[in-house]
């Protein structure tokens, strides 16, 4: 990926970059440290403070951050995760970065494919009127039912191979006004891409998308440097939709077994609610191609 290739593509660099970025997000007060009145030139924890909290020497931690130490043991990794106040997903991402830095591989990455099984396509149809789509590991839209396409207003106007949720939320002009929680939506997209970068950093499909978004979206570039690897798989989302007005839907993202990272994302609402009525209006057969690739 462009920016990371400029800084070096080794696992140690990525591990060090993650540690450096994440410690800027933890204040001394949050870590339970008492600080004096001296002016701090940078936000977050200093190297020596994080080293103390994790129970390692400042020299050892500095070597970790600079990529000269690449084999921290499980106890050190857990201590760093605790000091950095990482959640479970971020902790797992840190383990992935350590595995890469030490020359190991936690799991062989799967070969990406755009093929969606017939049974999954039938499932999308049976979920109607609930909007639903299948996305790849890099959030390419591979298949969807009518509501799943129309919920992302304007996505159907893009060429099939350009239909990608991350590309949509950062680059489509209607996305910031469509999502009531656009800030959270873009963070979730970056978090998912960061998690993939932790296990398969040289994936060509990921590299191409990241390079494009780094070039075209200052918001993406800023969030990419935060190294936030949190994933969000369920909850509620409010849309300000140009066709059906405001609607709030629950959503659930589910990994599809025996696929190279494909997910089924489905939205739902209780019958009789305004959200249900709105998503029923979206569930209208049109001439729009709701299948990205039948190969």
């Amino acid at each position: 990926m462009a920016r990371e290739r400029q800084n070096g593509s080794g696992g140690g660099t990525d591990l060090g970059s993650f540690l450096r970025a994440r410690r800027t997000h933890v204040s001394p007060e949050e870590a339970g440290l008492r600080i004096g009145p001296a002016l701090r030139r940078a936000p977050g924890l200093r190297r020596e403070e994080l080293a103390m909290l994790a129970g390692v020497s400042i020299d050892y931690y500095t070597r970790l951050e600079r990529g000269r130490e690449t084999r921290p043991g499980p106890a050190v990794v857990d201590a760093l995760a605790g000091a950095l106040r990482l959640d479970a997903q971020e902790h797992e991402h840190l383990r992935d970065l350590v595995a890469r830095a030490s020359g190991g591989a936690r799991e062989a990455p799967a070969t990406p494919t755009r093929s969606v099984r017939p049974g999954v396509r039938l499932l999308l149809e049976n979920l109607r009127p609930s909007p639903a789509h299948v996305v790849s590991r890099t959030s390419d839209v591979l298949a969807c039912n009518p509501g799943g396409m129309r919920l992302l207003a304007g996505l159907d106007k893009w060429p099939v191979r350009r239909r990608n949720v991350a590309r949509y939320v950062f680059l489509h002009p209607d996305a910031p006004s469509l999502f009531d929680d656009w800030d959270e939506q873009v963070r979730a997209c970056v978090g998912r891409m960061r998690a993939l970068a932790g296990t398969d950093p040289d994936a060509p499909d990921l590299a191409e998308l990241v390079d494009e978004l780094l070039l075209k979206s200052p918001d993406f570039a800023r969030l990419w440097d935060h190294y936030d690897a949190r994933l969000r798989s369920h909850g509620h989302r409010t849309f300000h939709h140009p066709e059906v007005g405001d609607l709030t839907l629950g959503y659930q993202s589910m990994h599809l077994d025996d696929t190279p990272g494909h997910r089924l994302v489905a939205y739902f609402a209780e019958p009789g609610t305004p959200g249900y009525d709105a998503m029923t209006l979206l569930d209208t057969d049109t001439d729009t191609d709701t299948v990205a690739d039948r190969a």
Side-chain angles (χ1 to χ4, degrees):
M1 283 162 275
R3 181 168 301 194
E4 292 183 353
R5 280 198 293 268
Q6 292 171 5
N7 296 329
S9 59
T13 296
D14 291 339
L15 172 60
S17 296
F18 178 80
L19 293 172
R20 185 164 51 251
R22 297 315 299 169
R23 70 178 169 85
T24 65
H25 296 294
V26 181
S27 70
E29 292 81 7
E30 289 175 320
L33 299 178
R34 292 184 177 181
I35 59 173
L39 180 65
R40 299 174 74 90
R41 292 179 296 177
L45 295 172
R46 293 169 174 167
R47 285 198 186 104
E48 60 269 23
E49 291 169 340
L50 181 54
M52 179 191 69
L53 289 168
V56 298
S57 71
I58 177 59
D59 176 67
Y60 180 83
Y61 176 76
T62 300
R63 286 187 284 118
L64 270 178
E65 204 171 272
R66 292 179 176 174
R68 294 200 291 266
E69 171 59 55
T70 58
R71 295 178 179 272
V76 173
V77 173
D78 291 346
L80 287 169
L84 290 170
R85 304 172 66 86
L86 303 184
D87 63 19
Q89 293 171 340
E90 292 169 321
H91 194 162
E92 188 69 11
H93 184 63
L94 177 59
R95 292 193 184 102
D96 287 332
L97 292 176
V98 169
R100 280 180 42 220
S102 61
R106 304 192 68 197
E107 185 177 346
T111 302
T113 176
R114 298 180 65 87
S115 178
V116 177
R117 293 191 296 266
V120 176
R121 297 184 188 278
L122 180 60
L123 178 60
L124 289 172
E125 180 67 17
N126 289 340
L127 284 171
R128 297 174 64 179
S130 293
H133 46 247
V134 174
V135 296
S136 72
R137 63 181 188 172
T138 55
S139 297
D140 286 333
V141 179
L142 305 181
C144 54
N145 59 25
M149 176 63 74
R150 295 181 66 194
L151 185 63
L152 301 181
L155 182 66
D156 60 324
K157 306 302 182 185
W158 281 5
V160 169
R161 289 279 178 164
R162 294 280 298 166
R163 295 173 187 171
N164 176 283
V165 176
R167 182 180 288 118
Y168 177 85
V169 299
F170 279 104
L171 300 183
H172 198 285
D174 294 338
S177 59
L178 175 69
F179 296 100
D180 186 72
D181 62 343
W182 182 80
D183 289 341
E184 289 301 315
Q185 179 74 4
V186 295
R187 285 187 176 88
C189 286
V190 174
R192 193 166 293 280
M193 295 167 71
R194 266 296 176 196
L196 176 57
T199 57
D200 196 3
D202 299 320
D205 51 342
L206 176 65
E208 181 180 358
L209 180 60
V210 170
D211 285 353
E212 177 187 356
L213 294 178
L214 284 173
L215 178 65
K216 296 180 179 179
S217 172
D219 289 311
F220 178 84
R222 172 178 52 82
L223 291 172
W224 187 250
D225 285 342
H226 282 188
Y227 282 77
D228 185 350
R230 295 177 184 176
L231 307 181
R232 294 163 180 82
S233 61
H234 66 280
H236 287 80
R237 184 161 294 146
T238 296
F239 300 84
H240 306 293
H241 201 278
E243 295 181 49
V244 299
D246 292 352
L247 68 160
T248 298
L249 302 176
Y251 71 93
Q252 177 69 56
S253 173
M254 297 157 275
H255 177 73
L256 296 175
D257 290 343
D258 299 321
T259 68
H262 293 181
R263 290 178 293 119
L264 169 65
V265 183
Y267 294 84
F268 54 88
E270 289 284 347
T273 63
Y276 187 90
D277 294 341
M279 74 180 194
T280 301
L281 289 174
L282 288 174
D283 183 49
T284 303
D285 288 309
T286 66
D287 294 333
T288 299
D289 181 9
T290 57
V291 178
D293 197 335
R294 295 184 180 273

